[in-house]
Amino acid sequence: MELRDAGEDHFPLPHERAPARCAAMSEPEFDRLLANKTIVRNGAKISAVRENAQWILELAREHGSAARFFSEWPDDRNVELLDLMKRKGSRLGGETGMRLLRALGKPAFVLTKDVIAALAREGVIASPPTSKAQMNAIQMAMNQWSSETGLDLTALSRYLAWSIGTGAAAPVDARR
């Protein structure tokens, strides 16, 4: 569910909106949400809440919990996880999926303009990644740098961004 800054439309997240309730959202409830002027009234985004909740419940049935699934996924196969999220989830491709992994506490790189520029500077890619081959090249470089430095994907991504952008904040704890 998409939250907005104060003063903008927002999607309320009451504590009772657990995945099971979101997954079982009825068409009348969906229609009420579309008509609610206090939230982001985008049918695809509201529908994605329901679809992603259903996927989370499926992961929980298969792995004991969705948290276990994400936490046990190897960091050196991040690109594969992003691809899976894009295929199985709804609206979880690209930067959205990368940022979701970070929000879950999973080490992940986020391909911002600055990170892409740093990867190009390092000769990993020549242009913004649009293919599996480019994403795999990024994964290989990140795995190598992680092995050499002991830093996780999040720290590496932040350092890459920091090395380019003047507005990027330095990582507070490089080992996180």
Side-chain angles (χ1 to χ4, degrees):
M1 295 181 200
E2 183 172 336
L3 297 174
R4 299 286 182 133
D5 292 330
E8 295 185 35
D9 287 349
H10 68 284
F11 199 119
L13 291 173
H15 64 279
E16 72 271 7
R17 283 210 175 272
R21 180 147 187 261
C22 291
M25 187 187 313
S26 68
E27 288 305 315
E29 185 175 6
F30 181 85
D31 292 339
R32 277 193 302 278
L33 290 172
L34 280 177
N36 185 338
K37 294 188 185 311
T38 66
I39 66 169
V40 174
R41 294 178 310 277
N42 179 307
K45 290 180 180 181
I46 295 171
S47 183
V49 170
R50 179 173 43 197
E51 294 165 24
N52 288 330
Q54 291 167 348
W55 183 50
I56 291 295
L57 293 173
E58 180 183 317
L59 288 175
R61 281 190 300 275
E62 293 174 3
H63 302 276
S65 75
R68 177 176 294 137
F69 170 80
F70 286 108
S71 68
E72 291 179 353
W73 190 278
D75 294 345
D76 64 351
R77 293 177 42 216
N78 184 267
V79 167
E80 291 175 48
L81 180 56
L82 291 170
D83 184 56
L84 178 73
M85 291 169 61
K86 181 179 178 181
R87 286 184 290 109
K88 295 283 194 169
S90 178
R91 301 178 67 90
L92 295 179
E95 195 172 320
T96 302
M98 296 171 194
R99 292 195 180 278
L100 173 62
L101 291 176
R102 283 234 187 124
L104 293 173
K106 179 85 178 150
F109 54 80
V110 176
L111 297 178
T112 63
K113 286 189 331 184
D114 288 340
V115 171
I116 291 169
L119 289 167
R121 179 194 64 217
E122 297 302 318
V124 175
I125 54 174
S127 62
T130 57
S131 70
K132 283 188 179 187
Q134 288 172 307
M135 291 299 289
N136 288 335
I138 293 168
Q139 182 74 66
M140 287 176 47
M142 292 287 198
N143 291 348
Q144 180 180 342
W145 294 331
S146 180
S147 176
E148 292 171 357
T149 65
L151 299 175
D152 69 20
L153 299 176
T154 298
L156 290 169
S157 178
R158 288 178 174 159
Y159 274 116
L160 286 168
W162 188 40
S163 73
I164 297 291
T166 57
V172 175
D173 180 356
R175 301 266 172 209
R176 288 186 62 187

